Short mmCIF file of all heavy atoms in Angstrom, two decimals:
data_model
loop_
_atom_site.label_atom_id
_atom_site.label_comp_id
_atom_site.label_asym_id
_atom_site.label_seq_id
_atom_site.Cartn_x
_atom_site.Cartn_y
_atom_site.Cartn_z
N SER A 363 2.91 1.43 7.41
CA SER A 363 4.16 1.37 6.68
C SER A 363 4.39 0.01 6.11
O SER A 363 4.31 -1.04 6.83
CB SER A 363 5.29 1.84 7.50
OG SER A 363 5.19 3.18 7.84
N ALA A 364 4.78 -0.09 4.86
CA ALA A 364 5.22 -1.34 4.25
C ALA A 364 6.72 -1.33 4.28
O ALA A 364 7.31 -0.39 4.75
CB ALA A 364 4.74 -1.39 2.81
N LYS A 365 7.31 -2.45 3.92
CA LYS A 365 8.76 -2.54 4.01
C LYS A 365 9.23 -2.85 2.54
O LYS A 365 8.67 -3.50 1.80
CB LYS A 365 9.21 -3.68 4.94
CG LYS A 365 8.80 -5.06 4.56
CD LYS A 365 9.31 -6.09 5.53
CE LYS A 365 8.84 -7.56 5.21
NZ LYS A 365 9.35 -8.55 6.14
N PHE A 366 10.51 -2.28 2.27
CA PHE A 366 11.14 -2.58 1.03
C PHE A 366 11.74 -3.92 1.07
O PHE A 366 12.32 -4.27 2.09
CB PHE A 366 12.13 -1.51 0.66
CG PHE A 366 11.55 -0.17 0.26
CD1 PHE A 366 11.93 0.93 0.93
CD2 PHE A 366 10.59 -0.07 -0.75
CE1 PHE A 366 11.38 2.27 0.61
CE2 PHE A 366 10.08 1.11 -1.09
CZ PHE A 366 10.46 2.31 -0.44
N VAL A 367 11.70 -4.68 -0.02
CA VAL A 367 12.30 -6.02 -0.07
C VAL A 367 13.21 -6.18 -1.30
O VAL A 367 12.99 -5.45 -2.25
CB VAL A 367 11.20 -7.20 -0.01
CG1 VAL A 367 10.44 -7.09 1.29
CG2 VAL A 367 10.26 -6.98 -1.22
N GLY A 368 14.16 -7.07 -1.19
CA GLY A 368 14.97 -7.29 -2.39
C GLY A 368 16.10 -6.30 -2.45
O GLY A 368 16.27 -5.34 -1.60
N PRO A 369 17.00 -6.45 -3.47
CA PRO A 369 18.20 -5.55 -3.62
C PRO A 369 17.83 -4.16 -4.06
O PRO A 369 16.80 -3.89 -4.66
CB PRO A 369 18.97 -6.33 -4.73
CG PRO A 369 18.00 -7.01 -5.56
CD PRO A 369 16.91 -7.47 -4.60
N ASN A 370 18.69 -3.26 -3.74
CA ASN A 370 18.60 -1.89 -4.14
C ASN A 370 19.43 -1.71 -5.42
O ASN A 370 20.63 -1.79 -5.35
CB ASN A 370 19.06 -0.94 -3.08
CG ASN A 370 18.90 0.49 -3.45
OD1 ASN A 370 18.61 0.86 -4.55
ND2 ASN A 370 19.07 1.40 -2.50
N LEU A 371 18.80 -1.52 -6.56
CA LEU A 371 19.57 -1.39 -7.84
C LEU A 371 19.83 0.07 -8.20
O LEU A 371 20.23 0.36 -9.35
CB LEU A 371 18.73 -2.09 -8.97
CG LEU A 371 18.57 -3.62 -8.82
CD1 LEU A 371 17.94 -4.19 -10.12
CD2 LEU A 371 19.86 -4.25 -8.45
N GLY A 372 19.64 0.95 -7.21
CA GLY A 372 20.06 2.35 -7.57
C GLY A 372 18.82 3.23 -7.57
O GLY A 372 17.67 2.81 -7.58
N LYS A 373 19.13 4.51 -7.62
CA LYS A 373 18.03 5.55 -7.46
C LYS A 373 17.04 5.60 -8.60
O LYS A 373 15.92 6.16 -8.42
CB LYS A 373 18.67 6.88 -7.20
CG LYS A 373 19.51 7.47 -8.38
CD LYS A 373 20.07 8.79 -8.02
CE LYS A 373 20.88 9.42 -9.16
NZ LYS A 373 21.45 10.65 -8.76
N PHE A 374 17.40 5.09 -9.73
CA PHE A 374 16.52 5.18 -10.91
C PHE A 374 15.66 3.91 -11.13
O PHE A 374 14.76 3.93 -11.94
CB PHE A 374 17.30 5.48 -12.22
CG PHE A 374 17.96 6.80 -12.19
CD1 PHE A 374 19.32 6.89 -12.26
CD2 PHE A 374 17.18 8.02 -12.09
CE1 PHE A 374 19.98 8.14 -12.20
CE2 PHE A 374 17.82 9.27 -12.06
CZ PHE A 374 19.19 9.32 -12.15
N ALA A 375 15.98 2.86 -10.41
CA ALA A 375 15.21 1.61 -10.49
C ALA A 375 14.07 1.70 -9.49
O ALA A 375 14.11 2.44 -8.50
CB ALA A 375 16.05 0.45 -10.16
N TRP A 376 12.98 0.90 -9.76
CA TRP A 376 11.99 0.84 -8.77
C TRP A 376 12.37 -0.07 -7.65
O TRP A 376 13.26 -0.89 -7.77
CB TRP A 376 10.63 0.57 -9.33
CG TRP A 376 10.33 -0.70 -9.99
CD1 TRP A 376 10.89 -1.97 -9.71
CD2 TRP A 376 9.33 -0.93 -11.07
NE1 TRP A 376 10.29 -2.87 -10.56
CE2 TRP A 376 9.36 -2.28 -11.39
CE3 TRP A 376 8.51 -0.07 -11.76
CZ2 TRP A 376 8.57 -2.85 -12.39
CZ3 TRP A 376 7.73 -0.64 -12.77
CH2 TRP A 376 7.77 -1.91 -13.09
N LYS A 377 11.66 0.05 -6.47
CA LYS A 377 11.84 -0.80 -5.38
C LYS A 377 10.57 -1.59 -5.12
O LYS A 377 9.48 -1.08 -5.32
CB LYS A 377 12.20 -0.04 -4.12
CG LYS A 377 13.55 0.61 -4.10
CD LYS A 377 13.89 1.33 -2.75
CE LYS A 377 15.29 1.84 -2.76
NZ LYS A 377 15.55 2.44 -1.43
N GLN A 378 10.72 -2.84 -4.67
CA GLN A 378 9.58 -3.68 -4.40
C GLN A 378 9.28 -3.47 -2.92
O GLN A 378 10.19 -3.39 -2.09
CB GLN A 378 9.81 -5.11 -4.76
CG GLN A 378 10.01 -5.39 -6.26
CD GLN A 378 10.43 -6.82 -6.51
OE1 GLN A 378 11.43 -7.30 -5.98
NE2 GLN A 378 9.64 -7.55 -7.28
N PHE A 379 7.95 -3.48 -2.66
CA PHE A 379 7.56 -3.35 -1.23
C PHE A 379 6.65 -4.55 -0.87
O PHE A 379 6.10 -5.18 -1.77
CB PHE A 379 6.93 -2.04 -0.96
CG PHE A 379 5.61 -1.73 -1.65
CD1 PHE A 379 4.39 -2.25 -1.17
CD2 PHE A 379 5.58 -0.97 -2.80
CE1 PHE A 379 3.23 -1.99 -1.86
CE2 PHE A 379 4.46 -0.67 -3.51
CZ PHE A 379 3.26 -1.18 -3.03
N GLN A 380 6.45 -4.79 0.42
CA GLN A 380 5.69 -5.87 0.90
C GLN A 380 4.99 -5.44 2.20
O GLN A 380 5.53 -4.74 2.97
CB GLN A 380 6.62 -7.08 1.16
CG GLN A 380 5.95 -8.39 1.42
CD GLN A 380 6.93 -9.51 1.53
OE1 GLN A 380 7.38 -9.85 2.65
NE2 GLN A 380 7.38 -10.04 0.39
N PHE A 381 3.82 -5.92 2.36
CA PHE A 381 3.02 -5.63 3.59
C PHE A 381 2.15 -6.84 3.93
O PHE A 381 1.43 -7.38 3.09
CB PHE A 381 2.13 -4.41 3.41
CG PHE A 381 1.37 -4.01 4.61
CD1 PHE A 381 1.98 -3.19 5.64
CD2 PHE A 381 0.10 -4.48 4.82
CE1 PHE A 381 1.26 -2.87 6.78
CE2 PHE A 381 -0.61 -4.14 5.98
CZ PHE A 381 -0.05 -3.30 6.89
N GLU A 382 2.25 -7.35 5.20
CA GLU A 382 1.41 -8.46 5.69
C GLU A 382 0.22 -7.89 6.44
O GLU A 382 0.44 -7.06 7.41
CB GLU A 382 2.27 -9.33 6.48
CG GLU A 382 3.38 -10.06 5.77
CD GLU A 382 4.15 -11.07 6.54
OE1 GLU A 382 3.66 -11.39 7.63
OE2 GLU A 382 5.17 -11.46 6.14
N ALA A 383 -0.92 -8.35 6.15
CA ALA A 383 -2.16 -7.95 6.85
C ALA A 383 -2.94 -9.19 7.15
O ALA A 383 -3.07 -10.11 6.36
CB ALA A 383 -2.95 -7.01 5.94
N ASN A 384 -3.63 -9.16 8.34
CA ASN A 384 -4.51 -10.22 8.66
C ASN A 384 -5.97 -9.73 8.40
O ASN A 384 -6.42 -8.72 9.04
CB ASN A 384 -4.40 -10.56 10.15
CG ASN A 384 -3.16 -11.35 10.50
OD1 ASN A 384 -2.92 -12.42 9.88
ND2 ASN A 384 -2.32 -10.89 11.40
N LEU A 385 -6.59 -10.27 7.37
CA LEU A 385 -7.88 -9.79 6.89
C LEU A 385 -9.00 -10.82 7.09
O LEU A 385 -8.82 -11.99 6.80
CB LEU A 385 -7.75 -9.47 5.38
CG LEU A 385 -6.69 -8.39 5.00
CD1 LEU A 385 -6.79 -8.19 3.49
CD2 LEU A 385 -7.01 -7.10 5.72
N GLU A 386 -10.04 -10.36 7.60
CA GLU A 386 -11.34 -11.17 7.65
C GLU A 386 -11.97 -11.13 6.32
O GLU A 386 -11.77 -10.29 5.46
CB GLU A 386 -12.21 -10.62 8.81
CG GLU A 386 -11.56 -10.71 10.21
CD GLU A 386 -12.44 -10.07 11.25
OE1 GLU A 386 -13.49 -9.54 10.83
OE2 GLU A 386 -12.14 -10.19 12.39
N LYS A 387 -13.03 -12.01 6.20
CA LYS A 387 -13.79 -12.03 4.98
C LYS A 387 -14.55 -10.67 4.74
O LYS A 387 -14.99 -10.10 5.69
CB LYS A 387 -14.82 -13.21 4.99
CG LYS A 387 -14.18 -14.62 4.97
CD LYS A 387 -15.22 -15.66 5.03
CE LYS A 387 -14.68 -17.00 5.06
NZ LYS A 387 -15.71 -18.11 5.05
N GLY A 388 -14.57 -10.29 3.49
CA GLY A 388 -15.14 -9.02 3.24
C GLY A 388 -14.55 -8.39 1.96
O GLY A 388 -13.73 -8.96 1.28
N ASN A 389 -14.96 -7.18 1.69
CA ASN A 389 -14.48 -6.38 0.51
C ASN A 389 -13.62 -5.26 1.05
O ASN A 389 -14.01 -4.53 1.97
CB ASN A 389 -15.64 -5.84 -0.29
CG ASN A 389 -16.44 -6.98 -0.95
OD1 ASN A 389 -15.93 -7.93 -1.48
ND2 ASN A 389 -17.74 -6.95 -0.82
N TYR A 390 -12.44 -5.05 0.42
CA TYR A 390 -11.52 -4.01 0.81
C TYR A 390 -11.07 -3.20 -0.40
O TYR A 390 -10.90 -3.72 -1.47
CB TYR A 390 -10.31 -4.62 1.44
CG TYR A 390 -10.62 -5.41 2.79
CD1 TYR A 390 -11.03 -6.71 2.67
CD2 TYR A 390 -10.42 -4.89 3.98
CE1 TYR A 390 -11.30 -7.47 3.84
CE2 TYR A 390 -10.68 -5.55 5.16
CZ TYR A 390 -11.09 -6.92 5.04
OH TYR A 390 -11.27 -7.63 6.21
N THR A 391 -10.82 -1.91 -0.15
CA THR A 391 -10.15 -1.05 -1.09
C THR A 391 -8.76 -0.79 -0.51
O THR A 391 -8.66 -0.13 0.54
CB THR A 391 -10.91 0.24 -1.41
OG1 THR A 391 -12.21 -0.11 -1.90
CG2 THR A 391 -10.15 1.11 -2.34
N VAL A 392 -7.80 -1.21 -1.27
CA VAL A 392 -6.37 -1.10 -0.73
C VAL A 392 -5.56 -0.21 -1.61
O VAL A 392 -5.52 -0.33 -2.82
CB VAL A 392 -5.69 -2.52 -0.70
CG1 VAL A 392 -4.37 -2.40 0.00
CG2 VAL A 392 -6.63 -3.52 -0.02
N ALA A 393 -4.92 0.79 -1.02
CA ALA A 393 -4.10 1.76 -1.72
C ALA A 393 -2.70 1.79 -1.21
O ALA A 393 -2.45 1.48 -0.05
CB ALA A 393 -4.75 3.17 -1.54
N SER A 394 -1.79 2.17 -2.12
CA SER A 394 -0.36 2.34 -1.70
C SER A 394 0.00 3.78 -1.96
O SER A 394 -0.51 4.41 -2.90
CB SER A 394 0.52 1.35 -2.44
OG SER A 394 0.56 1.67 -3.83
N ARG A 395 0.89 4.32 -1.17
CA ARG A 395 1.29 5.70 -1.28
C ARG A 395 2.80 5.78 -0.99
O ARG A 395 3.21 5.48 0.11
CB ARG A 395 0.52 6.57 -0.27
CG ARG A 395 0.74 8.03 -0.44
CD ARG A 395 -0.02 8.85 0.57
NE ARG A 395 0.46 8.58 1.98
CZ ARG A 395 -0.06 9.19 3.08
NH1 ARG A 395 -1.07 9.98 2.98
NH2 ARG A 395 0.47 8.88 4.29
N ALA A 396 3.56 6.22 -2.01
CA ALA A 396 4.97 6.34 -1.87
C ALA A 396 5.37 7.77 -1.51
O ALA A 396 4.73 8.74 -1.89
CB ALA A 396 5.64 5.93 -3.15
N THR A 397 6.49 7.86 -0.76
CA THR A 397 7.03 9.15 -0.40
C THR A 397 8.54 9.13 -0.70
O THR A 397 9.29 8.18 -0.38
CB THR A 397 6.86 9.38 1.17
OG1 THR A 397 5.47 9.38 1.38
CG2 THR A 397 7.48 10.76 1.53
N ASP A 398 9.00 10.20 -1.36
CA ASP A 398 10.41 10.39 -1.57
C ASP A 398 10.84 11.63 -0.83
O ASP A 398 10.08 12.24 -0.09
CB ASP A 398 10.79 10.44 -3.08
CG ASP A 398 10.21 11.71 -3.82
OD1 ASP A 398 9.78 12.66 -3.17
OD2 ASP A 398 10.29 11.69 -5.03
N GLU A 399 12.05 12.07 -0.98
CA GLU A 399 12.60 13.16 -0.19
C GLU A 399 12.02 14.50 -0.56
O GLU A 399 12.25 15.56 0.08
CB GLU A 399 14.18 13.27 -0.30
CG GLU A 399 14.81 12.01 0.41
CD GLU A 399 16.33 12.15 0.48
OE1 GLU A 399 16.86 13.02 -0.18
OE2 GLU A 399 16.98 11.24 1.17
N LYS A 400 11.24 14.59 -1.69
CA LYS A 400 10.64 15.83 -2.10
C LYS A 400 9.16 15.88 -1.85
O LYS A 400 8.54 16.96 -1.92
CB LYS A 400 10.96 16.08 -3.59
CG LYS A 400 12.42 16.38 -3.89
CD LYS A 400 12.58 16.69 -5.35
CE LYS A 400 14.03 17.09 -5.69
NZ LYS A 400 14.23 17.35 -7.08
N GLY A 401 8.50 14.70 -1.58
CA GLY A 401 7.06 14.77 -1.38
C GLY A 401 6.43 13.38 -1.40
O GLY A 401 7.10 12.37 -1.43
N THR A 402 5.13 13.45 -1.31
CA THR A 402 4.32 12.18 -1.25
C THR A 402 3.31 12.11 -2.36
O THR A 402 2.89 13.20 -2.83
CB THR A 402 3.53 12.12 0.10
OG1 THR A 402 4.52 12.08 1.15
CG2 THR A 402 2.74 10.89 0.19
N GLN A 403 3.01 10.91 -2.84
CA GLN A 403 1.96 10.72 -3.89
C GLN A 403 0.69 11.43 -3.44
O GLN A 403 0.23 11.29 -2.29
CB GLN A 403 1.74 9.28 -4.05
CG GLN A 403 2.41 8.51 -5.11
CD GLN A 403 1.87 7.10 -5.25
OE1 GLN A 403 2.40 6.21 -4.56
NE2 GLN A 403 0.84 6.90 -6.04
N PRO A 404 0.09 12.25 -4.31
CA PRO A 404 -1.19 12.89 -3.94
C PRO A 404 -2.33 11.87 -4.03
O PRO A 404 -2.23 10.78 -4.65
CB PRO A 404 -1.35 13.97 -4.98
CG PRO A 404 -0.67 13.37 -6.22
CD PRO A 404 0.49 12.60 -5.70
#
Side-chain angles (χ1 to χ4, degrees):
S363 295
K365 63 180 180 180
F366 289 124
V367 294
N370 182 350
L371 296 189
K373 63 182 181 178
F374 295 116
W376 62 33
K377 290 185 177 181
Q378 294 175 303
F379 64 83
Q380 191 175 98
F381 182 85
E382 294 184 14
N384 286 305
L385 299 180
E386 297 178 352
K387 293 180 180 180
N389 296 314
Y390 298 82
T391 298
V392 188
S394 67
R395 185 181 70 178
T397 299
D398 65 16
E399 291 186 355
K400 291 184 179 178
T402 299
Q403 267 185 270

